[in-house]
Amino acid sequence: VQLQASGGGLVQAGDSLRLSCASSGRTFSGYTLAWFRQPAGKEREFVAALKPTNSNAFYADSVKGRFTISRDNAKSTLYLQMNSLQPEDTAVYYCSASRTIIHSNLGVPSAYAYWGQGTLVTVSS
């Protein structure tokens, strides 16, 4: 699975942005998909994950109620709708995929085998 993230940019606080992550090659319908982010100088942190069935989505507390993760298996694309963006959301955002992952590892970067290249989101105050 090869992943390509896009959609980042510079926005103001309170704005919305939608990130996309397209998969080339093998379909990812059976994969758990996730978004992580890495602020400058900090470690990569979990944002949201989506199990193969769309109803099972999980979010970091910091984004719950503002971000929505979704997938379109027909288009092999993962999305992250980000609303009410704040300066602390500034980071490089990465999409990731795992064929086999246990629930307790959803927020663990090393549990994901496939990664996109990252897209920068900058939120100005």
Side-chain angles (χ1 to χ4, degrees), residues 14-30:
D15 285 351
S16 297
L17 204 59
R18 189 177 80 159
L19 304 182
S20 299
C21 176
S23 170
S24 60
R26 191 176 302 174
T27 178
F28 63 28
S29 60

Side-chain angles (χ1 to χ4, degrees), residues 84-125:
S84 301
L85 283 162
Q86 300 300 315
E88 52 265 34
D89 295 317
T90 295
V92 176
Y93 283 71
Y94 298 89
C95 54
S96 58
S98 175
R99 181 67 173 170
T100 56
I101 188 170
I102 60 176
H103 181 79
S104 60
N105 284 343
L106 285 177
V108 179
S110 61
Y112 292 83
Y114 306 99
W115 290 87
Q117 86 289 0
T119 184
L120 177 62
V121 174
T122 304
V123 185
S124 64
S125 58

Side-chain angles (χ1 to χ4, degrees), residues 35-39 42-47 62 88 91 107 109:
W35 288 97
F36 287 79
R37 66 186 182 186
Q38 188 165 16
K42 297 184 178 181
E43 293 187 352
R44 194 167 299 190
E45 61 185 34
F46 172 74
V47 175
S62 59
E88 52 265 34

Side-chain angles (χ1 to χ4, degrees), residues 1 3-4 16 18 22 29 42 51 55 65-66 71-72 82 94 109 113:
V1 176
L3 305 175
Q4 179 78 27
S16 297
R18 189 177 80 159
S29 60
K42 297 184 178 181
K51 290 193 171 181
S55 60
R66 300 188 298 123
R71 64 197 291 167
D72 185 334
M82 305 184 294
Y94 298 89

